[in-house]
Amino acid sequence: MFLTRFRVNTARPGSRRLLASPQAMHAAVMSAFPTLLPTAAPPQDAPRVLWRLDHTARAEVMLYVVSPDRPDLTHLVEQAGWPAAAAADPAEPGWQSRPYGPFLDRLAPGTRWAFRLTANPVHHIRRKDGEPTKRTAHITPLHQMGWLLQRQEQGGFRVLEKPEDRRLLPSGTTHSKQPHHGDRYELAVRDKRALAFDKSRSASPPAARKPHVSLVAVTFDGRLEVTDAELLRRALIQGIGKAKAYGCGLLTLASPDANW
């Protein structure tokens, strides 16, 4: 397994095209692996290629990729990086890849980490009796947090709770005495994005196309404690939730005092 970081040159036209289309970015990421067939889906329990865009500043965007094989991002450097700088220094091709296995092997129950996850929080609802259920996005930060908290056990981690003296409300509750996730946990939701795009590659004019994919993506920042190292390793290499092809599902860890 490898963890790769690529800084996007937001001033280039190719970057703007990739950043505007999760489908285009997915295709560019998958093109970094010459042995992978574009249409081949990995087995259910196998590691897969995951990616995420972090908007760390107004004009700074980082692409993170977790993959079974080491990627070759030469084409991304040419489209959305700094090709002249990369050519001038062969030791720095324009991205950084590191083996991920040694870090995964160090995970142990009881250790604490800062984490970041971009995900597609959804649930299934039925509007009328007898109708089939429909996948629907969680819209509010409170429900989005609840979606992640429901996945703690199966993900092998526990989101840390705030100390009492840092909570705005007693015991992290609302006035109705119901759990208030936003005040109780070391967890924040930011960068909510509603995405809609045409999944097909139709030659029809843009005005005639309809979005075939629509989803809501949000980024979670927080602190967690490892409860089951094997389950957490699985979450780190297989992703969490839906829409993994469109930049969702990649969970990364950092030192507990990291300032994302």
Side-chain angles (χ1 to χ4, degrees), residues 68-256:
D69 303 314
R70 187 186 293 272
D72 181 351
L73 299 182
T74 304
H75 62 297
L76 267 180
V77 174
E78 294 170 350
Q79 296 176 53
W82 286 265
D89 185 0
E92 293 290 337
W95 69 92
Q96 298 83 42
S97 287
R98 299 289 184 269
Y100 206 22
F103 173 78
L104 297 174
D105 292 340
R106 293 202 309 270
L107 294 175
T111 55
R112 295 185 171 190
W113 303 89
F115 74 88
R116 174 167 288 174
L117 166 69
T118 292
N120 170 225
V122 296
H123 62 134
H124 291 82
I125 62 172
R126 180 181 286 111
R127 295 179 179 176
K128 297 180 180 178
D129 291 341
E131 283 188 351
T133 59
K134 180 180 179 181
R135 184 187 299 172
T136 305
H138 284 300
I139 301 300
T140 68
L142 188 63
H143 288 100
Q144 291 160 352
M145 288 183 181
W147 174 89
L148 179 60
L149 294 170
Q150 290 172 0
R151 282 152 181 78
Q152 294 178 101
E153 184 176 356
Q154 69 190 63
F157 62 90
R158 176 180 68 88
V159 178
L160 298 177
E161 296 189 15
K162 293 179 181 178
E164 289 284 349
D165 60 359
R166 288 180 50 207
R167 298 181 184 180
L168 300 178
L169 299 171
S171 301
T173 61
T174 63
H175 293 298
S176 62
K177 304 302 182 182
Q178 296 299 314
H180 192 288
H181 308 315
D183 191 41
R184 180 178 176 183
Y185 293 94
E186 296 274 9
L187 182 61
V189 180
R190 60 178 187 83
D191 289 348
K192 176 183 173 182
R193 299 178 300 283
L195 307 173
F197 52 93
D198 187 353
K199 190 175 180 180
S200 67
R201 297 190 176 185
S202 171
S204 304
R209 299 177 194 165
K210 295 183 179 180
H212 292 176
V213 177
S214 61
L215 58 93
V216 173
V218 298
T219 297
F220 298 96
D221 286 339
R223 304 286 186 272
L224 62 76
E225 180 179 288
V226 182
T227 57
D228 186 313
E230 189 56 38
L231 288 178
L232 182 55
R233 291 187 193 102
R234 184 183 303 173
L236 289 168
I237 64 177
Q238 293 181 2
I240 296 177
K242 303 293 185 181
K244 296 183 180 72
Y246 304 122
C248 297
L250 175 54
L251 171 70
T252 54
L253 306 180
S255 62

Side-chain angles (χ1 to χ4, degrees), residues 3-8 18-19 25-26 28-29 50-56 60-66 73 76 95-96 247 250:
L3 174 64
T4 301
R5 183 178 67 178
F6 173 85
R7 184 183 174 196
V8 179
L18 292 173
L19 295 175
M25 182 62 80
H26 173 68
V29 169
L50 302 169
W51 62 272
R52 185 183 77 216
L53 290 170
D54 282 7
H55 296 256
T56 58
E60 183 177 69
V61 180
M62 306 298 294
L63 169 67
Y64 289 91
V65 180
V66 165
L73 299 182
L76 267 180
W95 69 92
Q96 298 83 42
L250 175 54

